[in-house]
Amino acid sequence: MRHLEVLGQTVTADGTVLKLARRDNEYIIFANGKSLMSSRMHGSEEALATLACRRVRTLEQPCVLIGGLGMGFTLRATLDLLPPDAMVVVAEMVPAVVEWNRGPLGPLAGHPLKDKRVRIEMGDVAVTLRSGPGKFDAVLLDVDNGPTAFTASDNAWLYDDRGIAAARAALKMDGVLAVWSARDDQKFEKRLRYGRFAVQVERVRGRLKKGGPHHTIFLGHKTPSS
């Protein structure tokens, strides 16, 4: 059995124990003993950025919000798509996750936190969403395992009517809300439509063309007619 080396541990505000561990060349973040994310499987996180930024990448001085830093793969993919004058705001509640990305996790995604276009905001993504109406061209949410809260019950509001309304208000017209989920959720899809988004659902593999489990990305487009 391969040895699991614990590199770091922290306790979140709601009492969740997060651990960063390494097994050979694989890095894993555990939440209360359950595997939350792995460096071996991040294709769907990159797809989240690709799908959310299809229109954004053509804009001048686009502004994108990413809720949840994770291992930096979504941030890296977003930066690779956006122009030099872009701004990417990353809202992250757990200081240790930022420290891990500046330390052992940094090389995995090419040290995205060193990019001058990135601004880290420590705290709840709710605060950033409410910081100014019509501020973002895209909002990417990967703060949990999707609409069915897995890590922190405090995240549940993001996926209810209040969170959807806050995301829509934070977006510019024609902006996109992109939500990563470990599974399908028809109730959340209906909730997005009720929240006046034009909705598109994409199903991708955890390792994209290399397979892996199926994940779901919900895309909500803020249009004048929606």
Side-chain angles (χ1 to χ4, degrees):
M1 185 174 180
R2 292 180 299 168
H3 176 65
L4 191 70
E5 178 187 4
V6 176
L7 303 177
Q9 179 173 319
T10 191
V11 180
T12 67
D14 73 333
T16 300
V17 178
L18 294 182
K19 290 184 180 180
L20 173 64
R22 180 174 59 199
R23 182 187 290 126
D24 294 338
N25 294 325
E26 178 188 12
Y27 291 81
I28 309 166
I29 293 180
F30 293 92
N32 289 335
K34 297 180 181 180
S35 176
L36 179 63
M37 62 189 74
S38 164
S39 62
R40 291 179 59 191
M41 187 164 54
H42 50 82
S44 59
E45 284 82 356
E46 293 167 354
L48 175 68
T50 302
L51 293 167
C53 295
R54 282 182 295 198
R55 180 183 91 50
V56 179
R57 62 190 302 179
T58 65
L59 302 176
E60 292 185 8
Q61 297 182 320
C63 186
V64 173
L65 169 63
I66 297 177
L69 176 58
M71 292 185 169
F73 292 113
T74 298
L75 175 57
R76 174 77 271 156
T78 300
L79 291 168
D80 288 347
L81 291 165
L82 297 185
D85 60 358
M87 174 182 288
V88 181
V89 179
V90 180
E92 174 55 58
M93 291 188 67
V94 185
V97 171
V98 177
E99 293 173 10
W100 296 341
N101 273 268
R102 287 183 172 140
L105 296 179
L108 299 180
H111 297 284
L113 293 185
K114 293 183 178 181
D115 195 299
K116 294 180 180 179
R117 293 171 292 175
V118 176
R119 189 178 82 216
I120 292 286
E121 291 194 0
M122 296 304 309
D124 196 331
V125 68
V127 176
T128 307
L129 281 174
R130 293 167 175 158
S131 63
K135 183 175 180 179
F136 300 104
D137 294 289
V139 172
L140 287 64
L141 296 180
D142 186 8
V143 299
D144 219 310
N145 235 28
T148 303
F150 170 62
T151 308
S153 58
D154 290 346
N155 292 330
W157 82 271
L158 276 173
Y159 307 108
D160 66 19
D161 293 340
R162 296 170 299 163
I164 291 170
R168 193 178 193 280
L171 286 167
K172 299 175 184 177
M173 190 55 68
D174 294 322
V176 176
L177 168 64
V179 179
W180 186 95
S181 177
R183 59 190 66 86
D184 292 342
D185 192 324
Q186 293 186 351
K187 290 183 178 179
F188 180 66
E189 183 179 344
K190 291 179 180 177
R191 206 173 295 139
L192 281 173
R193 297 186 195 280
Y194 180 76
R196 297 165 54 213
F197 279 105
V199 181
Q200 181 181 352
V201 179
E202 299 282 352
R203 292 171 179 85
V204 299
R205 302 296 290 268
R207 296 187 180 95
L208 297 184
K209 293 182 179 180
K210 295 181 180 179
H214 289 86
H215 296 151
T216 300
I217 295 173
F218 298 93
L219 299 169
H221 300 262
K222 179 178 178 178
T223 65
S225 58
S226 63

